[in-house]
Amino acid sequence: MNPRTILSNGKILSDPDSGEIRSHAHTACSDNRLEHVNQPEYESRPGDTVIDCTGCIIMPGLINAHNHCAMSLFRGIADDLPLDAWLNNYIFPVESRFVSPEFVYLGTKLSAAEMVLSGTTTVADAYFFMEQSSRALIDVGMRGVAAQGVLDLPAPDCPEAGKWRQRLQSFLAGHPADDLVRPAVFVHSAYLAGADTFRHVFEVCRKNGLKMFCHVAETVWEIEEIARRYGRSPVQFLDNIGCLNQDFIAVHCVHLTPEDISILTRNEVRAAHCPESNMKLASGASPVNDLLNAGVTTALGTDGPASNNNLDMWEEMRTASFLAKVRSGDPQALNAHDVIKMATTGGARALGLDDEVGKLVPGMKADVIVIDMNQPHLTPTYNYVSNLVYSARGSDVRDVIINGKVVVRDHKLVSADLNRILMEAHAFANEVSEFLERPRDLRPG
Ligand SMILES: [Zn+2]
């Protein structure tokens, strides 16, 4: 029999949908699954590891439904700019110079380290050279969906515009058959990809059972641009070309009309809400309450670390709730329970992983986090869910188990060499700084 990891004592939030916190006896993971959850007694076997969780909350790991992990290496490169200036003057030039397989591997590892240390156990990543993202997530021991970027312009891993079909094919053919990371496709947006591209990717995803991610209705500029090109909203455009279904994840959904929301509902599209990125780029505030009320499965994401600028899902939860209240003028909008569901079961449903993760149920994958509640900012406790969403921080996460393996123990990353990742990231940043200090016309690449 396999040795088990057993969590004992503490409290447990096994099903965020119910929001019920119960006193906890024992939960055991064997191999990569939950063997039992909150069982009163267990028989210890030789080789079992018992982790005492007195004073802690045990819950499912958080799910970050939208990220561009490798962009951690561009964190803080340029701030306080609107999306178009940020992209055109900074991100696109440094991407075209620096994004390589090594860059994506290192940047994704850095993000994975940050995420697992703060209790995120699954990420939907969307970028380029996604073989390297999958490799980095697997090496850190993090669950993920790795969505290969597609756009009609030249991309770092597809320098010839229009060759993205071959690039996508080689990504899908070479994807590791590892249970931890699933492949997917990310079409950047309706302003960087045309109808033919969307239709082709939609067919590839339909045939292979893959998720399709896309930035949708993020900024006013996008709404105006798509109206100019197609005379429709981005959601209407995607519906009109037949590319919306339950495997489509519409990221951002900031500027939606009531008709857009009914199209998303009718097609069972999933939404990924990224409030902090939307605030930082002054894109606007998503009508997330309206989406939830219309029955749209809505997940929560940080977006990339260059537009957030951290990957702390506790902060994202709190911000999501507060922003919904500001937008609606209603303090009851998006309460703590609504938002913790978005970051767990909502994320699992959006990514099609709800048979595996998002709840703690025997037989499901063992993605479990332990939060140390014995902290001044988490005391006293009248309402555990309130404390988790409105008061907790990523640094309160003490232990993290993903796929049955302990990846964080006592606030330390045990699945990878964090010091080495940090050193390599600093060395890389020196090269970027040097490049940015040069006058534009003297920059190579
Ligand atoms: Zn994004």
Side-chain angles (χ1 to χ4, degrees):
M1 275 205 244
N2 289 319
R4 298 173 300 177
T5 303
I6 296 167
L7 303 172
S8 64
N9 305 318
K11 304 266 181 198
I12 188 165
L13 171 65
S14 54
D15 180 1
D17 285 349
S18 80
E20 193 189 341
I21 305 252
R22 287 174 295 154
S23 286
H24 175 250
H26 305 104
T27 288
C29 320
S30 170
D31 197 10
N32 65 346
R33 295 190 182 269
L34 290 157
E35 184 178 287
H36 59 245
V37 173
N38 202 11
Q39 194 159 286
E41 299 293 334
Y42 74 100
E43 252 178 60
S44 185
R45 300 199 294 247
D48 284 351
T49 303
V50 180
I51 298 175
D52 180 38
C53 300
T54 303
C56 297
I57 288 184
I58 296 158
M59 64 175 280
L62 304 178
I63 296 173
N64 184 341
H66 184 60
N67 199 343
H68 309 289
C69 289
M71 292 180 82
S72 58
L73 293 172
F74 296 143
R75 189 198 319 268
I77 204 169
D79 299 304
D80 313 319
L81 294 167
L83 183 65
D84 55 344
W86 181 73
L87 284 177
N88 292 318
N89 300 341
Y90 291 91
I91 296 301
F92 291 157
V94 290
E95 278 188 336
S96 73
R97 171 69 181 85
F98 287 104
V99 176
S100 66
E102 298 73 31
F103 169 94
V104 173
Y105 181 70
L106 174 62
T108 307
K109 257 187 138 175
L110 178 62
S111 281
E114 180 185 356
M115 286 187 283
V116 296
L117 281 165
S118 55
T120 296
T121 53
T122 300
V123 64
D125 189 20
Y127 205 57
F128 307 105
F129 294 111
M130 291 305 284
E131 298 84 349
Q132 301 302 324
S133 162
S134 301
R135 212 182 113 217
L137 295 174
I138 291 167
D139 286 354
V140 176
M142 185 173 189
R143 193 177 302 286
V145 176
Q148 170 62 35
V150 165
L151 60 166
D152 287 344
L153 303 176
D157 58 351
C158 185
E160 216 178 309
K163 291 274 186 193
W164 57 263
R165 284 177 179 76
Q166 293 90 320
R167 174 68 194 106
L168 182 57
Q169 208 174 10
S170 78
F171 164 72
L172 294 174
H175 195 269
D178 194 296
D179 183 40
L180 208 55
V181 181
R182 296 188 182 181
V185 191
F186 161 56
V187 183
H188 184 280
S189 57
Y191 55 90
L192 292 185
D196 287 348
T197 302
F198 274 100
R199 284 198 196 98
H200 179 92
V201 170
F202 182 80
E203 261 322 288
V204 169
C205 290
R206 200 184 57 76
K207 275 192 197 137
N208 296 283
L210 305 177
K211 298 289 170 192
M212 179 171 172
F213 294 79
C214 182
H215 294 139
V216 177
E218 181 178 3
T219 60
V220 170
W221 176 86
E222 175 189 337
I223 301 296
E224 289 170 356
E225 179 63 17
I226 300 303
R228 190 183 65 74
R229 288 189 209 176
Y230 303 110
R232 299 185 155 89
S233 74
V235 171
Q236 288 165 353
F237 162 71
L238 292 163
D239 185 38
N240 190 252
I241 60 172
C243 286
L244 297 179
N245 67 5
Q246 59 181 7
D247 292 319
F248 191 101
I249 293 122
V251 178
H252 294 307
C253 293
V254 174
H255 301 282
L256 299 176
T257 64
E259 193 194 339
D260 290 336
I261 294 177
S262 62
I263 292 171
L264 295 175
T265 311
R266 190 176 70 235
N267 289 286
E268 296 182 58
V269 170
R270 296 3 187 167
H273 177 40
C274 305
E276 291 197 339
S277 170
N278 297 154
M279 289 165 70
K280 182 160 185 270
L281 298 168
S283 303
S286 166
V288 63
N289 250 11
D290 299 343
L291 287 168
L292 289 171
N293 289 339
V296 176
T297 296
T298 304
L300 193 64
T302 55
D303 207 355
S307 67
N308 186 306
N309 292 5
N310 69 39
L311 305 175
D312 185 332
M313 284 287 287
W314 305 89
E315 207 183 82
E316 205 72 38
M317 285 197 278
R318 171 182 148 109
T319 305
S321 174
F322 290 0
L323 181 62
K325 296 174 196 320
V326 170
R327 186 186 191 278
S328 62
D330 175 6
Q332 293 183 309
L334 210 67
N335 64 35
H337 184 209
D338 294 332
V339 89
I340 208 165
K341 287 192 284 184
M342 287 170 65
T344 52
T345 50
R349 281 186 203 109
L351 302 180
L353 298 172
D354 45 323
D355 289 340
E356 311 255 288
V357 297
K359 290 182 184 186
L360 303 182
V361 175
M364 283 174 70
K365 294 284 169 64
D367 288 9
V368 191
I369 61 175
V370 177
I371 300 111
D372 179 4
M373 300 298 281
N374 195 23
Q375 315 264 3
H377 61 279
L378 300 175
T379 304
T381 316
Y382 297 109
N383 178 327
Y384 282 98
V385 172
S386 162
N387 276 19
L388 286 172
V389 171
Y390 296 140
S391 312
R393 304 167 187 150
S395 53
D396 300 326
V397 175
R398 194 191 70 179
D399 309 305
V400 177
I401 295 168
I402 304 177
N403 215 31
K405 289 206 177 72
V406 177
V407 296
V408 174
R409 180 74 186 100
D410 215 4
H411 304 280
K412 300 245 171 3
L413 184 67
V414 294
S415 58
D417 183 346
L418 181 61
N419 280 336
R420 190 170 159 193
I421 297 170
L422 300 182
M423 251 168 49
E424 288 177 3
H426 282 305
F428 175 83
N430 288 340
E431 279 181 50
V432 177
S433 302
E434 223 173 83
F435 170 76
L436 286 173
E437 279 157 19
R438 284 180 217 165
R440 240 158 230 246
D441 50 349
L442 294 180
R443 287 178 194 169

